[in-house]
Amino acid sequence: MSVARPSTHRAALERLDAFQRSSLIGAPSPVEEMGRLRAALGAAPRLWVKRDDAIPFAFGGNKTRKLEFVVAEAMAAGADTLVTVGGVQSNHARATAAAAARFGLRCHLIINGQRPDPPRANALLDELLGATIEYIPSREARDAALSGAVERLRAEGRRPHAIPLGASTPLGALGFARAIGELVAQTGAPDVIVHAASSAGTLAGLAAGCALHALPTQVIGVSADDPAAYITAHAREILTGIAGLLGAPGVAQAKFEVDDAFVGDGYGVPSAASREAQQLAARTEAIFVDHTYTAKALAAFIAYVRAGRFAPGATALFWHTGGQVGLFA
Ligand SMILES: *Cc1c(COP(=O)(O)O)cnc(C)c1O
């Protein structure tokens, strides 16, 4: 890896460092070598895991990184209420409710689906965190419900701040551009990073971080639901936004891949491969992955290893994006 970087990238990294953040994460999340998984797979490459599931704040996960930036902006703008959308077991909704609690803000969640009775897993945590929860019938009704809630709260004299699905805005994705710096300081650059992708903020942020640090690392997002073309287009849009925020036009062209071959029968529906990955990770490393996101991404990671996609001396890193609360839904 070359030490010299284009000067535009150095300036962009300084700008990234200077962005306001509301601290939720604290110390870097752990990076661990998965030696027993490697042995179980007879794998030639070295296998690592970045444990964002082990971020201490409110069960952690990838939304924590994005919310550090998004909540700082909301607070700087004088917001007193965070408003966001998600499904009944949304990790993003729980993380937003938790961030609101931590910073003394109110939280209004628009949740498509029905309130589980009794509430379990993320739905239980949302209630414990004191969020106001508005249940709506469908995903399609989200946008209208979000703008409706913002208007209503304003009329009541509150100062709401709307956070889009997954906090996957260019600003939120900066959390993952920054996370690449964290990883490089811990272990250096892996040859490949594999992670679960949906609203594409994690993917765009990781790709941007690799571009800013001039890393040769290949970033692969494994879809939890949408077709690769859709996630790719969304990630590209976010990258263009990041390039603007950091004044680094090259970042808009950052490289990444999306694999939608592991969705199986759909969002949140386990597949044979995701079940196998879930058991294998637990039994070799005592690491837990959820059916909706991380088990499918890990199934892809395992399939790549078995197919010999990574060179024998290579380092392949699975970025664990959290979601373990979903095991108790
Ligand atoms: C939201 C989520 C993802 C997907 O991240 P995006 O940035 O929306 O692509 C992956 N894993 C878990 C556990 C999540 O909660």
Side-chain angles (χ1 to χ4, degrees), residues 21-309:
R21 279 188 302 129
S22 303
S23 179
L24 295 171
I25 295 173
S29 68
V31 187
E32 295 167 356
E33 184 154 16
M34 298 191 286
R36 284 192 18 90
L37 178 63
R38 183 190 192 195
L41 295 174
R46 293 179 68 182
L47 309 182
W48 292 80
V49 58
K50 176 74 168 156
R51 300 287 309 269
D52 278 3
D53 60 317
I55 290 171
F57 178 72
F59 295 103
N62 63 339
K63 306 310 183 302
T64 319
R65 293 191 184 274
K66 302 193 246 184
L67 287 169
E68 283 199 326
F69 285 81
V70 171
V71 173
E73 182 190 52
M75 291 173 74
D80 63 8
T81 307
L82 303 179
V83 188
T84 199
V85 294
V88 173
Q89 288 300 336
S90 166
N91 298 307
H92 166 66
R94 178 249 308 161
T96 303
R102 167 62 68 87
F103 294 114
L105 305 171
R106 296 211 235 173
C107 182
H108 185 96
L109 299 177
I110 293 153
I111 301 290
N112 57 278
Q114 287 200 322
R115 178 182 182 272
D117 187 19
R120 279 183 302 272
N122 283 306
L124 170 63
L125 299 179
D126 294 344
E127 293 191 11
L128 286 176
L129 290 161
T132 304
I133 306 171
E134 175 186 346
Y135 285 96
I136 59 165
S138 67
R139 278 185 177 219
E140 291 65 37
R142 278 173 180 168
D143 289 350
L146 183 63
S147 44
V150 165
E151 270 178 42
R152 222 166 42 243
L153 290 165
R154 280 212 186 102
E156 291 167 14
R158 307 252 290 272
R159 294 187 303 279
H161 183 93
I163 302 176
L165 186 69
S168 282
T169 59
L171 184 69
L174 291 184
F176 274 94
R178 194 171 171 280
I180 288 292
E182 177 182 308
L183 175 69
V184 167
Q186 288 174 298
T187 59
D191 295 291
V192 60
I193 295 173
V194 176
H195 72 95
S198 178
S199 65
T202 303
L203 178 60
L206 290 173
C210 289
L212 290 168
H213 288 272
L215 306 181
T217 306
Q218 191 185 2
V219 178
I220 306 174
V222 181
S223 173
D225 43 17
D226 290 315
Y230 181 86
I231 293 180
T232 300
H234 195 197
R236 189 58 70 199
E237 215 175 282
I238 298 169
L239 277 164
T240 303
I242 295 174
L245 285 176
L246 298 180
V251 167
Q253 268 77 55
K255 288 195 174 70
F256 62 86
E257 283 175 51
V258 180
D259 188 343
D260 61 7
F262 291 83
V263 175
D265 286 337
Y267 181 76
V269 183
S271 62
S274 74
R275 285 185 198 283
E276 193 228 359
Q278 191 180 52
Q279 283 196 356
L280 202 52
R283 292 172 190 190
T284 56
E285 302 291 345
I287 287 172
F288 302 111
V289 288
D290 76 294
H291 280 304
T292 304
Y293 298 103
T294 50
K296 287 182 180 168
L298 187 63
F301 185 77
I302 288 170
Y304 301 156
V305 169
R306 285 182 173 144
R309 180 165 173 177

